[in-house]
Structure formats: C-alpha cells, structure tokens
Amino acid sequence: MDNYTILKPLSKDIFDKRLVELETLVREYLQAESLEGRTLQWCKIFLSDAQNQYTQLIESDLYQDIVSAYASTIVEQAPADGSKIAILIKTSIEPAPYIFQSMRLTEGETRGTSSYLQTMMLFEKYVRWLKEQGLRLDTHCVRTWIYVNDIDNNYAGAVKARNDIFLQHGLTIDTHFIASTGIGGASHIQSAQVAIDFLTYPNIEESNKTYLKALDHLNPTHEYGVAFERGTKLSLADKTIFYISGTASIDRHGHVIYLRDIGRQAKRLLENIGALLKDGNATMEDIKYFIVYLRDTSDYEQIESFMQQNYPHIPHVIVRAKVCRPEWLVEMECLAQQ
C-alpha cells in the first residue's frame, strides 16, 4: 500500500544540471507509481550545501511543479556518494493519516540565540499549533527529527530544551517520551543552530502506541540524560508502523562499543534495531528504508558495501551527519511496516 524509494542524480555536473536530472527521475518514478494507484505523499531532500543550493532548489521545476504541493523537508546532510542531492519519497494509495511539519526559524529569530533557546522556540511553536487543533504533545506527536548544526557543541542545549518542554507536558520516565533522531544537520538559515521536523497523527489515542525497549541490548535513554523513545510501534486500522529512532553501537549499559571500528559498529547497531523490532513482533524484513548517518564520509565505501551485502533490497541513503557522541562513527534510523 505504501512505497518508499530513494533517488539521486548520477551525473557529476553542476548542481543545476543535477537538479534537472533528478526532476526527470522523480517524474518517471511518480508516473510509474500512478499506474499502481499511488501518489506522492511525503519526501525528504538531502543537500550537500544548503547555503548555496537551497534557493536553486526551491526555484527549480522539481520543487515548484512537484514537491511544493506535498509535505516535505529539506536538510543539509550531504549525500556521502558525492551526488550533492538525494530525495527520499513516500507514495501511497490512501490519503496521509498524519501531518508532517518541517519547522524552521527565521534569520531574525535565530540571530544571537543559543541552541537551547532555538529548540524551545521550535517546540513552543509546534505546541501552539497543537493546541489550536485540539491536540496534545504527549498523545499525538509520534516522531521528531532534531537537526543540530555543529552538534559537538550545540547538542547539550537542544537536549536540555527538549527535556524541559517534555517535563512541562507530562512526558517523563514514568509515562513515555517520543521517538526521535537527534543528529547533525543544517538548514538554509545561516545562524540557525537547530531545525526540527514533527510527525503528528491527529486521530490516534495513546492505546495505539507501544514503546519498544529491547533492554537486553540497549539501556533506557533517560539513564544518560536524554528524553526519547528508541522506537514506537503505531497500530492503525489497516497497518502497523514501526518508527525506529536514530540507533548506534551501544550496549545495555549505555556504553559505546567497538570504538574506532565502523564495521563492527554498523553490525551492532543493526543488531540493536533488530532487537527493537522483535520487541514489537516485527523483523528486519519489514523495514522499508534506512537513513545512514556517517561522521566521516571517507567511510562511505565500506558502509555502502556492507549495506549492499546485507540489505540489498531495502532502499537506503548514506549522508554525512555527525552523531551526538563523537565516538559513534555511524548511526541509522529506519521505518518498518506490516
């Protein structure tokens, strides 16, 4: 019923020409999907240099004629294969049961402010919107993506702000948190230290959600001071969706393992993802796509080979995006569906 794919230009020409090539690929893909009754529902665009590429992108036919009519997000997380731009596309037969919002602050809002204040402003803007719709943060927000520019220095402020917001809204270790990826990334606003995407399901109840633990593999996140669920199983009338948060090479005590060995880190983090899915009665075969985050793009060939050998039929994109702990060389998130 739902399809996911990842498209990117193959040429090594200037960015404008790569955009034209990508537009052709997207149009051809969507035309083929339309024959199966599926239409574009959501997409995520990865750029290598938002400062120079964002305006070109939003003025392009790809964006104006196709993307702008649908839910989408744009983030600077450079495709590690050198393609400059990649797009993750979801198509579906049915209307979206969710609302996806890509929230960004303006230059005036970000200038002179900290990562803590910017995170607070973004969450407060989202919470105001929720209240206007008669919705609640604890019930209806199913997933977030928090992009932190210069994450080695700005992550702590974003974490503290999220912790404070959650506490205000009754999200605690005794209730639940929200599945999330907190990762290096940037927007087109030069002074922005934080950008956030929010996924809201207006028609669900708390009983529709199950929080995935796998405590024999990973510790609860609150033990090291952060507030997010490692995974959320969402049971809808016609399908079950598993939102797996950014996952890295960690053990059940919260320790980073396999330091300086990216191959073993990749293997362990996928073992962790498998354990989370198993907790929800799903398997790796249910995964619809991976997003792979690398601290160092020189590791691209090794990780690309690993993914092709182990998951050749699952779409994936590998991007440069530093993980919240410098010791983690690779992190992955995924979505699974039954």
Side-chain angles (χ1 to χ4, degrees):
M1 191 172 299
D2 298 337
N3 263 6
Y4 294 86
T5 195
I6 293 160
L7 301 173
K8 52 194 174 183
L10 298 177
S11 74
K12 300 300 180 184
D13 214 320
I14 61 173
F15 184 70
D16 281 347
K17 291 188 177 180
R18 298 191 200 199
L19 270 178
V20 172
E21 180 185 345
L22 184 58
E23 178 198 348
T24 299
L25 293 173
V26 171
R27 287 188 187 278
E28 290 174 350
Y29 177 76
L30 294 178
Q31 183 176 7
E33 285 292 279
S34 70
L35 298 177
E36 303 295 328
R38 287 185 290 267
T39 58
L40 180 61
Q41 193 175 90
W42 167 84
C43 66
K44 182 171 191 173
I45 299 175
F46 306 88
L47 295 178
S48 61
D49 181 3
Q51 293 297 303
N52 284 299
Q53 297 165 349
Y54 179 81
T55 299
Q56 290 173 275
L57 171 62
I58 63 171
E59 291 178 352
S60 69
D61 289 344
L62 169 64
Y63 188 85
Q64 293 293 327
D65 296 347
I66 304 173
V67 173
S68 63
Y70 301 91
S72 66
T73 184
I74 302 168
V75 60
E76 180 181 301
Q77 289 176 331
D81 63 355
S83 58
K84 288 187 179 291
I85 182 171
I87 185 168
L88 167 61
I89 292 175
K90 177 188 179 183
T91 56
S92 182
I93 294 173
E94 298 180 338
Y98 56 79
I99 299 170
F100 178 88
Q101 292 164 289
S102 179
M103 291 199 170
R104 305 293 187 261
L105 298 173
T106 66
E107 188 75 45
E109 290 172 316
T110 57
R111 191 178 297 115
T113 56
S114 65
S115 61
Y116 175 87
L117 288 174
Q118 290 184 21
T119 306
M120 289 292 287
M121 285 189 286
L122 286 162
F123 266 102
E124 288 170 352
K125 184 182 294 189
Y126 175 63
V127 168
R128 286 194 299 271
W129 174 83
L130 285 173
K131 289 181 178 178
E132 291 171 359
Q133 309 304 313
L135 304 176
R136 294 169 54 97
L137 178 66
D138 57 346
T139 301
H140 300 103
C141 182
V142 171
R143 206 196 191 297
T144 65
W145 292 261
I146 303 177
Y147 309 110
V148 184
N149 197 6
D150 188 10
I151 195 169
D152 292 338
N153 292 305
N154 291 325
Y155 186 65
V159 165
K160 186 178 187 308
R162 178 174 59 183
N163 290 353
D164 290 350
I165 284 284
F166 282 6
L167 188 60
Q168 292 174 21
H169 291 269
L171 291 157
T172 71
I173 61 174
D174 298 318
T175 59
H176 68 86
F177 297 122
I178 295 169
S180 185
T181 300
I183 196 72
S187 73
H188 63 289
I189 302 299
Q190 193 169 27
S191 55
Q193 297 178 20
V194 182
I196 307 180
D197 294 339
F198 297 93
L199 187 67
T200 309
Y201 278 79
N203 298 316
I204 63 167
E205 300 178 356
E206 189 57 34
S207 59
N208 294 117
K209 294 181 287 182
T210 304
Y211 302 102
L212 308 176
K213 302 299 182 186
L215 295 178
D216 55 339
H217 281 71
L218 308 100
N219 69 323
T221 62
H222 68 81
E223 290 185 358
Y224 49 92
V226 293
F228 71 94
E229 295 291 341
R230 296 203 180 276
T232 298
K233 175 182 177 180
L234 184 63
S235 301
L236 303 175
D238 59 341
K239 57 192 165 187
T240 302
I241 306 173
F242 301 81
Y243 292 101
I244 303 299
S245 301
T247 304
S249 179
I250 193 169
D251 66 15
R252 63 189 181 91
H253 304 293
H255 300 143
V256 180
I257 51 176
Y258 306 128
L259 296 174
R260 296 176 293 280
D261 188 333
I262 192 168
R264 296 180 76 188
Q265 284 196 16
K267 185 175 180 181
R268 172 63 190 209
L269 77 83
L270 286 161
E271 181 183 327
N272 289 344
I273 288 175
L276 289 167
L277 290 171
K278 184 179 179 181
D279 190 48
N281 297 313
T283 72
M284 301 295 278
E285 297 301 315
D286 295 313
I287 294 174
K288 300 304 179 185
Y289 70 83
F290 288 104
I291 301 177
V292 184
Y293 303 104
L294 292 185
R295 186 174 184 86
D296 183 351
T297 52
S298 66
D299 291 319
Y300 167 74
E301 296 293 344
Q302 182 177 352
I303 295 301
E304 174 65 17
S305 176
F306 178 89
M307 296 301 291
Q308 291 291 350
Q309 290 175 17
N310 291 278
Y311 304 100
H313 304 301
I314 301 176
H316 70 270
V317 61
I318 304 176
V319 298
R320 183 181 186 273
K322 291 185 178 181
V323 188
C324 60
R325 293 195 207 181
E327 297 88 354
W328 278 325
L329 306 177
V330 59
E331 178 173 301
M332 299 188 201
E333 66 172 74
C334 66
L335 178 144
Q337 186 170 311
Q338 295 175 332

